[in-house]
Every structure is written in C-alpha cells, then in structure tokens.
C-alpha cells in the first residue's frame, strides 16, 4: 500500500476505535508513561493493532495509544515512542505523529529523558526545549514529499512554539517549579556519547542530549502542528561526573521525577486554547 493510504487506513481504524477526535497529542518518553494513568475515560489501542505501525521495543515504553481526558482536553497519548536505534526507519518513527496529525491534533507535547550537557544542570531538572540540533544524520522528510501533509521545505525557525513555551513557563511559575530552557541535541544512540562527544555538543550550544524527539518534531512541524518539548534530565551526560551511564538509571529517574513533568504537562494542557 502506498504511504498515504497506509496512514489513512490506520487513521480510519483509530477513529473507528476511539469514536472521537483528539485536540492535542502527547508523546511520553522513557519512564514517563505514568501520565497515561491520569487520563480519564481512557481507551487504549496497541501499536501492533494498527496497519503500518511498528511496535515499540525500547525499555520503559509500553507501545500503545491512549485517548481520553487530561487537563480538560481530549488528548491522544503515545505511551512509548519509536527510536532510530531500535532499527526503525525515520518514516516508521514519525508514522504515529502523522497519524495524530490526521486525527486532528492542533498541538503536540513531546517529552523525553535526556542527559545534561549544560554544566549548571542537575539530575531531575526539567528543561523546556527551545530548539534542537539534528545530529541523527538523516531526516524523516527525505523522499518524495507527501504534499497533502505539508510543504517540501518546512520552516523550522520556530519549531518549538514560543506561545506554548510561554504557557509552560507561566504554569511552572504557578507550581513553584524551576524550569530550565535550552537546546536539545538528538543523536541516534544506542551507545551513550563519549566525554569528547559531550564536550563537542557543549561547544555546539547543546544543553541536553538524547536519542529521540527530533524526528517527531520535524514531522509535526511539516504538518503545521504546534510543538511543546520538555526534557527530564535523568543523568548528567558522559564525562561530567566521575561515573558511568546506564539505561536503568535513566528509567529510574524518569519514574521518580516523572510526576513533576506530568503535573506540568497536565497544567499546560488546561491552559491551552485549542
Ligand atoms: N545521552 C543520550 N540519551 C540519553 C541520555 C544521555 O546521557 N540520558 C537519557 N537519554
């Protein structure tokens, strides 16, 4: 089946299963899936139940869509995302984002676990993504443009919505939550970076590093969807502290500090005008 037809078929299946349209989408990162438990009137559809959709194999990622009420909005959550390091193609990674776009989301909140590159950051910090650097060496829009989704050369100068960032900052203030703001470097993984690579990323202007999010944001902007990105700093990046990095630590910090991020996302959804 051609790409657009597969997307349309999966969108049709989700519409049929859910029976209502989401106003916003949320992508839940490593260890951050707990927000799905706060959704009211929740309905779930496993990724494997949809044509064209790949399962998520990453640890801490459930691999299902959850639709329901959160912050007073009808929200579609991705409980678990797809990563390049799992062996998925860029096109497969952005398939669920495009699906959410076809279902009508106006805004997308992307969350992730990230390593702290900025030396003033601490484990457990939340960082509002103000921009990203795509160091994955590829782009989900490579190939024939899907004209019905967006234009060939989409603008990325305001990839992370200034309006949504302002909403998030105001919400964090109200909650008494300290919020960093910085740039995210997206690499393929799955090996963590070397200390030399982290020094390079710091010179490039990155504040945090991770293995996700960038493809999803590019695909969302292609479709004209407003994006809000929030990183949870689960560890200081390689070489910053005299210790090694582990995936278990990332997920454990996600579980411990995830509640602050979840409360922030819920509060922002409440304030969003959609
Ligand atoms: N590097 C890359 N990805 C990550 C990290 C890191 O230090 N922490 C969480 N995801």
């Amino acid at each position: 089946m051609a790409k657009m037809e597969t997307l349309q078929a999966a969108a049709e299946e989700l519409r049929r299963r859910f029976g209502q349209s989401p106003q916003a989408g949320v992508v839940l990162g490593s260890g951050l899936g707990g927000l799905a438990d706060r959704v009211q009137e929740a309905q779930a559809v496993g990724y494997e139940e949809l044509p064209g959709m790949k399962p998520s194999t990453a640890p801490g990622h459930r691999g299902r869509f959850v639709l329901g009420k959160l912050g007073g909005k009808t929200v579609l959550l991705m409980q678990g995302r797809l990563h390049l390091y799992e062996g998925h193609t860029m096109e497969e990674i952005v398939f669920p984002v495009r699906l959410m776009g076809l279902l009508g989301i106006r805004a997308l909140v992307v969350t992730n676990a990230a390593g702290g590159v900025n030396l003033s950051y601490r484990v457990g910090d939340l960082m509002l993504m103000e921009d990203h650097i795509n160091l994955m060496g590829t782009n989900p829009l490579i190939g024939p443009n899907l004209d019905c989704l967006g234009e060939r050369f989409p603008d990325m100068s305001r990839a992370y919505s200034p309006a949504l960032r302002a909403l998030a900052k105001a919400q964090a203030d109200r909650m008494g939550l300290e919020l960093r703001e910085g740039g995210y470097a997206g690499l393929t993984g799955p090996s963590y970076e070397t200390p030399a690579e982290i020094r390079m990323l710091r010179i490039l202007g990155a504040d945090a590093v991770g293995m996700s999010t960038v493809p999803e944001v590019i695909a969302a902007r292609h479709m004209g969807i407003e994006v809000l990105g929030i990183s949870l700093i689960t560890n200081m990046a390689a070489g910053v502290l005299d210790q090694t990095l582990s995936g278990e630590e990332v997920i454990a910090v996600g579980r411990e500090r995830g509640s602050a991020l979840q409360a922030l996302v819920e509060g922002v959804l409440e304030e969003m005008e959609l």
Side-chain angles (χ1 to χ4, degrees), residues 113-116 192-193 209-211 234-238 245 250:
Y192 285 114
E193 303 70 36
V209 58
M211 308 174 189
T234 52
N235 58 281
M236 289 309 291
L245 272 52
V250 166

Side-chain angles (χ1 to χ4, degrees), residues 22-238:
Q23 298 167 284
V26 181
V27 184
L28 299 172
S30 300
L32 301 171
L35 188 59
D37 299 332
R38 297 192 47 82
V39 174
Q40 280 157 14
E41 301 160 39
Q43 298 172 265
V45 173
Y47 293 161
E48 71 289 347
E49 298 176 62
L50 296 166
M53 182 75 208
K54 297 287 171 180
S56 172
T57 66
H61 291 259
R62 272 289 292 268
R64 59 181 198 171
F65 279 111
V66 174
L67 182 117
K69 292 274 180 207
L70 193 67
K73 304 286 189 307
T74 305
V75 178
L76 183 55
L77 293 91
M78 281 176 64
Q79 199 176 20
R81 60 150 59 86
L82 309 176
H83 304 79
L84 208 51
Y85 66 71
E86 293 174 77
H88 301 305
T89 65
M90 275 296 215
E91 203 161 61
E92 288 164 346
I93 291 169
V94 301
F95 188 90
V97 173
R98 289 176 160 165
L99 257 185
M100 293 195 285
L102 289 176
L103 289 184
I105 64 163
R106 235 78 70 63
L108 179 69
V109 182
V110 285
T111 66
N112 57 58
V117 173
N118 184 319
L119 294 173
S120 75
Y121 286 10
R122 296 286 170 267
V123 171
D125 280 354
L126 293 180
M127 185 193 87
L128 203 51
M129 293 172 74
E130 68 180 359
D131 210 341
H132 73 221
I133 305 176
N134 179 9
L135 291 172
M136 293 185 164
T138 180
N139 188 299
L141 306 182
I142 290 174
N145 186 49
L146 297 173
D147 293 328
C148 52
L149 299 185
E151 56 188 312
R152 171 77 291 190
F153 301 110
D155 177 55
M156 291 293 287
S157 38
R158 293 196 188 90
Y160 297 84
S161 160
L164 292 183
R165 271 154 56 199
L167 265 191
K169 281 193 259 189
Q171 181 61 25
D173 271 352
R174 278 193 293 275
M175 294 169 61
L177 195 69
E178 196 191 349
L179 197 53
R180 311 278 197 168
E181 196 165 12
Y184 173 98
L187 280 68
T188 66
S191 54
Y192 285 114
E193 303 70 36
T194 62
E197 287 164 346
I198 293 302
R199 288 194 297 274
M200 173 191 76
L201 294 179
R202 203 171 290 126
I203 292 167
L204 294 181
D207 298 288
V209 58
M211 308 174 189
S212 68
T213 309
V214 166
E216 296 153 2
V217 173
I218 293 172
R221 293 306 299 141
H222 182 230
M223 296 182 79
I225 298 165
E226 294 288 302
V227 173
L228 176 69
I230 307 171
S231 299
L232 170 63
I233 306 299
T234 52
N235 58 281
M236 289 309 291

